[in-house]
Amino acid sequence: MPRVDRPIVLVGLMGVGKSTVGKRLATRLDLPFVDADHEIERAADMTIAEMFARYGESAFRDGERRVIARLIDGTPKVIATGGGAFMADATRALILQNAISVWLDADIDVLAERVGRRDDRPLLKDKDPRIVLRQLAAIRNPVYAQAKIHIHSKPQPHDHAVNAILDALRQ
């Protein structure tokens, strides 16, 4: 197993599998797993959808940055972030400086099929997931590309992505 000396932070579009892959990666590395979105909801005592509705995306992103800053404390762990976290300059700089950043990427059709299983994503509310995901990918993928490691997630078991991350960490 590769030796990890700081947090591993998973970034990428919604539906790419950051939480699922993150949990499995953490298990394989014998590290704690933290879902930043769950930590944000816990800190705010409301859901992300409620935060977006009540305070707007800008206030949500500010809270998200503060929670991620708290999670990136130098202790090795695996952290799954929300799809927009890496887009904020301050959050991205924090991740790039203090963690091993991993961009999980997938084709739009794969993402659309995965996000269609849930109805709790504020950015998709009453919209066609394929259109929204294409628009987000056009804006976000060049930024996600700044991550240290790039893994393309295919429509196969998430353990393939975990193995690819482990291989990249060994290099």
Side-chain angles (χ1 to χ4, degrees):
M1 252 340 107
R3 188 164 183 277
V4 177
D5 62 354
R6 58 197 154 150
I8 298 170
V9 178
L10 305 180
V11 302
L13 288 172
M14 66 180 87
V16 78
K18 296 179 299 286
S19 295
T20 304
V21 169
K23 288 174 192 169
R24 293 177 186 191
L25 179 64
T27 298
R28 296 272 295 275
L29 291 169
D30 195 26
L31 293 174
F33 170 77
V34 183
D35 185 306
D37 283 351
H38 292 155
E39 292 297 311
I40 293 162
E41 289 179 337
R42 203 165 55 111
D45 197 27
M46 66 178 72
T47 68
I48 289 171
E50 290 169 337
M51 283 180 258
F52 262 72
R54 188 174 299 174
Y55 303 112
E57 185 175 1
S58 173
F60 168 76
R61 296 294 173 206
D62 185 53
E64 178 179 57
R65 178 193 47 76
R66 289 194 312 269
V67 168
I68 290 173
R70 178 173 48 81
L71 296 174
I72 298 178
D73 59 3
T75 307
K77 64 177 73 80
V78 178
I79 303 168
T81 62
F86 202 65
M87 298 307 296
D89 293 338
T91 304
R92 183 172 59 256
L94 181 72
I95 292 168
L96 291 173
Q97 284 181 333
N98 302 296
I100 300 167
S101 51
V102 177
W103 173 25
L104 287 179
D105 186 16
D107 295 333
I108 297 300
D109 288 336
V110 172
L111 295 173
E113 190 273 323
R114 290 177 182 169
V115 299
R117 299 178 197 156
R118 293 175 44 189
D119 63 353
D120 62 342
R121 300 184 187 269
L123 295 178
L124 296 180
K125 189 166 178 56
D126 303 323
K127 296 178 183 148
D128 180 331
R130 277 183 176 71
I131 293 171
V132 173
L133 288 164
R134 264 191 217 97
Q135 292 168 340
L136 288 173
I139 294 164
R140 293 180 177 182
N141 284 358
V143 177
Y144 292 149
Q146 295 177 44
K148 179 180 178 185
I149 297 170
H150 180 189
I151 302 297
H152 192 80
S153 177
K154 297 177 176 67
Q156 56 191 13
H158 286 301
D159 284 332
H160 289 274
V162 172
N163 289 335
I165 294 169
L166 291 170
D167 288 345
L169 290 171
R170 286 185 189 100
Q171 296 175 9

